[in-house]
Amino acid sequence: MPEGKSQVSPIQIVNSEEEWLDEQIKHSVLVTPWDKVVDLVDKIYNWGRRNSVWPMGFGLACCAIEFICTQASRFDMSRFGMELVRASPRQADLMIVSGTVTKKMVPAIVRLYNQMAEPKYVLAMGACATAGGPFKEGYNVVSGVDKFLPVDVYVPGCPPTPQALLYGLMQLQKKIDGQSVRDVRWYKKGEADGIPEPVLGPDIFDPRRATEIAELSGNPEKLQARALKIQTKLELKAEKLAEEKKPAPQPAAPKPTEPPKP
């Protein structure tokens, strides 16, 4: 093509005015898919939430001391926007279960969790809140708060250091970054069901398992099949010593042979 002449666009043949209008819109208007809009909203929304997670101020045992140390100036949780420890569950976003969870305390913990507004998260801090810790075999200790509450992040240790707690909070931020308004539970239709408070009687049980407990109590054979005895080291050692003290079985005396018949 000679220089100085502009390129002429080819003639476009359309069948109707609506088709011509659609082609003009495609060439002149930038159309963004709805999914990209939602992705952009998620990034902005999650950026604001991840940097303003307010913990609830309560502690159960020695892990709470490490939580207090993390709030001090040496570690500076305000870098993450988490320095506002709220005394009311209505204003808190994060429940840090720091310490031993006893059966007497579980109903109060579940009640506080139900009073927190969505979105809310739970962080199990330390071996006791995670799985019972050194008191797991105690008659009054719950083997992990996740038996009653949905836990988002586990921080191991006895007790965990402030650095470990900070790492757990960063893992929580990563989880928040991966959430979307499409599938989070607090934007779903219908009323959100709270977690029923455990019933504290001769022992503690979850009301959600009431039907299962009733079926097992009426069927002793099924209950016996599900029973699991947890033996301690002392019980295993005692059984081993009892086996060693048992007298060795004596060989049976040979039977006298009958004389052959004539």
Side-chain angles (χ1 to χ4, degrees):
M1 179 181 294
E3 295 182 2
K5 291 186 178 181
S6 60
Q7 185 177 0
V8 180
S9 60
I11 298 175
Q12 184 179 5
I13 300 175
V14 294
N15 298 324
S16 63
E17 184 178 353
E18 288 78 7
E19 186 179 346
W20 175 84
L21 184 60
D22 290 340
E23 291 295 331
Q24 294 300 316
I25 291 176
K26 290 180 181 179
H27 292 328
S28 305
V29 180
L30 178 62
V31 180
T32 303
W34 178 247
D35 287 341
K36 290 187 177 180
V37 175
V38 176
D39 291 340
L40 179 61
V41 171
D42 284 338
K43 288 183 180 180
I44 300 174
Y45 178 56
N46 292 336
W47 174 83
R49 293 194 305 117
R50 78 190 299 273
N51 293 305
S52 60
V53 179
W54 293 356
M56 186 166 59
F58 87 107
L60 299 177
C62 47
C63 287
I65 303 298
E66 300 297 326
F67 175 38
I68 295 170
C69 294
T70 311
Q71 289 282 3
S73 59
R74 179 176 180 180
F75 299 98
D76 190 18
M77 280 181 64
S78 60
R79 294 175 295 166
F80 306 94
M82 302 179 184
E83 74 278 7
L84 290 178
V85 179
R86 311 308 294 169
S88 170
R90 310 289 185 183
Q91 302 172 353
D93 306 302
L94 172 63
M95 172 183 282
I96 299 178
V97 184
S98 53
T100 310
V101 181
T102 60
K103 295 178 180 178
K104 187 177 181 180
M105 196 66 186
V106 166
I109 295 174
V110 174
R111 190 178 307 122
L112 289 173
Y113 177 81
N114 288 331
Q115 291 175 356
M116 294 171 64
E118 294 281 6
K120 54 188 175 183
Y121 303 93
V122 177
L123 185 146
M125 180 181 179
C128 292
T130 300
F135 314 107
K136 181 182 177 71
E137 296 179 1
Y139 68 94
N140 64 328
V141 175
V142 176
S143 300
V145 71
D146 55 358
K147 294 186 179 298
F148 298 94
L149 295 181
V151 177
D152 299 283
V153 179
Y154 296 88
V155 180
C158 189
T161 61
Q163 294 90 336
L165 178 58
L166 289 177
Y167 181 76
L169 295 175
M170 287 188 286
Q171 297 304 309
L172 178 62
Q173 287 184 326
K174 289 183 180 179
K175 181 172 184 175
I176 294 175
D177 289 337
Q179 291 180 331
S180 174
V181 295
R182 302 182 185 93
D183 51 11
V184 289
R185 63 177 181 270
W186 52 89
Y187 282 131
K188 292 182 178 179
K189 294 182 179 180
E191 296 182 359
D193 296 330
I195 297 177
E197 294 183 14
V199 179
L200 181 61
D203 201 350
I204 194 166
F205 74 92
D206 193 337
R208 293 171 293 185
R209 300 184 59 193
T211 305
E212 179 186 357
I213 294 172
E215 291 177 356
L216 291 175
S217 60
N219 191 344
E221 295 181 357
K222 190 174 181 181
L223 181 62
Q224 185 68 21
R226 291 195 55 177
L228 177 63
K229 182 181 178 182
I230 302 175
Q231 293 181 317
T232 63
K233 292 182 179 180
L234 291 177
E235 291 176 344
L236 293 174
K237 189 176 180 180
E239 288 185 3
K240 187 177 180 181
L241 290 175
E243 289 289 337
E244 292 177 354
K245 291 181 179 179
K246 281 185 179 179
Q250 298 180 356
K255 294 182 179 180
T257 58
E258 296 181 359
K261 294 181 179 180

